[in-house]
Amino acid sequence: MRTMKMRTKQKRDLSAEEAARKARLELLNELVMERMLRRFQPVRHMVMTGKQVEQTIREFVDVARRAAGTYDTLMAAVQPLRAAYGFNILFADESKLPRRSWKEWQTSPQTSDDVRRLFDSDVHTCVGLICGFARLQVIDFDRGWIYRLWRRRFTERAETRTIATPHNGMHAYFLASKPATDDRFKETLATEVKGSGRYVVAAGKLRREDGSIGEYRVEDDAAVRADDNITDETLKWLAELRQRYHFLQWKCLHPIYLEKKILEPSHDARLIVAAQMVHEGFTDEEIHNFFRDATDYREDVTQQQIAATRKNEDLRPWRCQTILDRLGLDAKICRACSRKHEIGEGVGERIEGRRAVLPPALAEYFTDKGKFIPEALAARILKEYSLVTFRDTREVYCYDPATGVWKPNGDTVVHAAAQRILGEHTKKHYVDETLHCIRG
């Protein structure tokens, strides 16, 4: 009698969390048992030895424990978001496929029982959030270098819940009044805006492009930011970025840098891009940021290569035929390549033989015949920044009003300012000539 009372008291003392876990485990046990029984259904008059029965029970218990552990781990990652924002979820396999219909949950809220029924311990290894529902909108960056530029551009507005993917991508979560989907930069910059009808993986494991298993992790544990304008402004910024990094659309480079999930460019592929970026006035910081996600990236080696490239006074972008030869590509890939339509001084092979049309805002920096006027750009930069040059060392110092200190970063400031003003029309010798005028 006393034993029965003690057992009754123990059951009453179970916490809500323990009771919930027990319920989940029982449900998972039932699902696993059903699957195991189905294996034996085709066998008539089956006879098992005691050892076989024991082994079967052990397998069942082990599978049930692993399933419960996986479920609890995945739910621990998304339950706070469900509680705070009312997000709906789905489970997916290591290829990010849900394996079960989730159409209903794009518009209807889920209960805890609904969620448990979605989980399949045999296939599901990760959990995702359904975009569009509960105002969830996600900007999906497949390339870390683009995310870092975006974060720098939008500063505090980019401080929101962010998840890092196993392929060095980023998912930035937002709340929007009308979450929409936009794929216009999916192919050109490997970036998507995901709203209604889409989902993103939020936690768990998947199989990476090279066959290894990777795991999602929290990059920024901030609250999900509400911002109705961030996606539209991001899309406008991406349009500018695509123009700035126009060379990534060349058919010889696009598969290497934007189609593959894992960045493993060959030495020649790096030299091609480095030469192009230096020629077009990219800063060292921008070049480092671009290559930082390569599997074998080393800051010191990259800096040495950048320095060596900048020292080449006759630097020009690689010719198309040279690229084909060094990368071992067939000339057929050049058909309809965007590089054939790029017109401008020193940009590849001048196929159409005409000069680029300059926007009115840049007219003051070029003559009517298209010749660059470095003095005009130097005057503009000197109006914006306080710069001085030491006669003995020729070093250019820039005054930082925030700290009240003169800093020896004048060259970098001039490079960045010239690139910002000239945009896609920036050339290495334009920047060099401008810096020469500023030094006097």
Side-chain angles (χ1 to χ4, degrees):
M1 191 70 176
R2 177 179 296 178
T3 302
M4 292 180 64
K5 289 182 178 179
M6 290 179 64
R7 288 179 177 174
T8 302
K9 186 176 185 303
Q10 288 175 353
K11 289 182 179 179
R12 290 174 179 171
D13 291 341
L14 284 174
S15 66
E17 182 178 353
E18 291 171 340
R21 178 177 172 79
K22 183 179 179 181
R24 290 196 299 270
L25 186 57
E26 288 176 353
L27 177 61
L28 290 168
N29 286 348
E30 291 176 9
L31 294 174
V32 174
M33 180 62 81
E34 287 178 7
R35 294 192 186 96
M36 296 189 72
L37 289 176
R38 283 199 293 268
R39 298 175 187 172
F40 298 120
Q41 283 177 357
V43 182
R44 301 288 184 181
H45 309 294
M46 180 181 63
V47 177
M48 297 178 67
T49 65
K51 190 172 184 179
Q52 289 174 325
V53 172
E54 180 184 0
Q55 181 62 28
T56 301
I57 293 175
R58 287 181 181 277
E59 290 178 2
F60 160 70
V61 173
D62 184 54
V63 170
R65 284 176 177 172
R66 288 202 308 270
T70 301
Y71 180 84
D72 284 345
T73 299
L74 296 178
M75 287 304 298
V78 296
Q79 187 56 39
L81 297 175
R82 279 176 52 76
Y85 307 103
F87 295 155
N88 279 356
I89 70 171
L90 53 75
F91 296 97
D93 62 16
E94 62 182 18
S95 299
K96 297 195 296 185
L97 299 176
R99 297 287 193 95
R100 290 189 175 181
S101 175
W102 53 284
K103 185 176 181 180
E104 176 184 358
W105 310 121
Q106 296 179 37
T107 55
S108 301
Q110 294 171 326
T111 66
S112 297
D113 289 339
D114 293 329
V115 171
R116 282 194 288 269
R117 282 191 290 269
L118 286 173
F119 183 72
D120 186 339
S121 60
D122 284 347
V123 296
H124 289 152
T125 62
C126 50
V127 62
L129 299 176
I130 297 176
C131 301
F133 186 82
R135 301 173 59 204
L136 177 62
Q137 184 144 50
V138 177
I139 304 178
D140 182 355
F141 300 91
D142 274 357
R143 293 292 175 267
W145 65 269
I146 296 180
Y147 167 76
R148 290 188 291 271
L149 291 176
W150 173 82
R151 179 110 184 188
R152 189 178 308 156
R153 164 63 178 80
F154 289 94
T155 58
E156 69 276 359
R157 293 178 65 191
E159 295 175 2
T160 186
R161 175 83 174 187
T162 304
I163 303 297
T165 75
H167 287 108
N168 295 320
M170 295 287 175
H171 295 163
Y173 297 178
F174 289 94
L175 298 177
S177 300
K178 297 180 180 180
T181 295
D182 198 307
D183 290 338
R184 75 182 76 174
F185 296 103
K186 182 178 181 179
E187 299 297 329
T188 56
L189 288 176
T191 303
E192 304 171 68
V193 174
K194 293 187 174 182
S196 300
R198 299 294 177 86
Y199 67 90
V200 290
V201 175
K205 300 178 181 180
L206 63 72
R207 191 166 297 279
R208 299 172 78 238
E209 191 177 56
D210 60 359
S212 63
I213 298 297
E215 192 164 3
Y216 288 80
R217 61 178 176 79
V218 177
E219 175 71 14
D220 190 335
D221 197 21
V224 180
R225 178 180 290 273
D227 193 328
D228 283 338
N229 300 318
I230 189 68
T231 52
D232 287 341
E233 293 180 30
T234 294
L235 291 170
K236 292 178 181 178
W237 175 79
L238 287 171
E240 298 172 359
L241 191 72
R242 180 174 59 184
Q243 192 173 34
R244 173 72 171 140
Y245 288 80
H246 64 95
F247 47 87
L248 295 181
Q249 307 310 315
W250 298 349
K251 290 192 173 183
C252 54
L253 297 180
H254 190 274
I256 299 172
Y257 289 102
L258 289 174
E259 291 182 13
K260 292 184 177 181
K261 293 284 188 180
I262 298 177
L263 185 59
E264 297 178 304
S266 65
H267 180 64
D268 285 327
R270 297 176 201 231
L271 293 180
I272 294 167
V273 171
Q276 191 72 33
M277 294 181 81
V278 169
H279 181 76
E280 296 192 17
F282 283 76
T283 65
D284 288 10
E285 183 181 5
E286 288 176 305
I287 299 174
H288 276 286
N289 178 65
F290 180 79
F291 288 109
R292 196 174 302 279
D293 296 318
T295 54
D296 58 349
Y297 168 81
R298 283 181 52 187
E299 184 175 1
D300 56 342
V301 175
T302 303
Q303 186 57 47
Q304 290 174 9
Q305 186 59 58
I306 294 173
T309 304
R310 291 196 185 282
K311 288 181 180 178
N312 183 0
E313 296 181 358
D314 298 323
L315 178 69
R316 289 290 184 274
W318 288 35
R319 294 174 59 84
C320 290
Q321 189 58 54
T322 305
I323 294 175
L324 294 176
D325 293 342
R326 297 291 285 272
L327 298 183
L329 300 174
D330 193 302
K332 292 180 181 179
I333 71 165
C334 295
R335 295 173 183 172
C337 178
S338 63
R339 194 181 196 192
K340 291 187 176 182
H341 303 289
E342 291 174 0
I343 312 163
E345 181 181 349
V347 180
E349 298 166 288
R350 297 183 50 168
I351 295 173
E352 298 188 28
R354 289 178 285 134
R355 293 186 181 276
V357 177
L358 293 169
L362 299 183
E364 62 181 296
Y365 307 118
F366 295 86
T367 66
D368 293 340
K369 294 184 178 180
K371 185 178 179 180
F372 177 62
I373 308 173
E375 295 82 2
L377 183 58
R380 162 77 180 275
I381 294 174
L382 287 171
K383 286 183 180 179
E384 296 182 3
Y385 301 94
S386 297
L387 301 169
V388 295
T389 303
F390 285 84
R391 292 183 179 180
D392 52 347
T393 62
R394 307 299 293 164
E395 285 185 288
V396 180
Y397 277 63
C398 180
Y399 181 72
D400 183 356
T403 60
V405 176
W406 288 89
K407 297 183 178 180
N409 62 343
D411 287 18
T412 302
V413 170
V414 172
H415 275 80
Q419 183 274 319
R420 171 175 54 81
I421 296 169
L422 298 180
E424 64 175 315
H425 299 276
T426 306
K427 302 290 181 262
K428 179 178 181 297
H429 65 92
Y430 292 172
V431 178
D432 292 342
E433 290 170 12
T434 302
L435 187 56
H436 180 74
C437 290
I438 289 175
R439 283 177 175 152

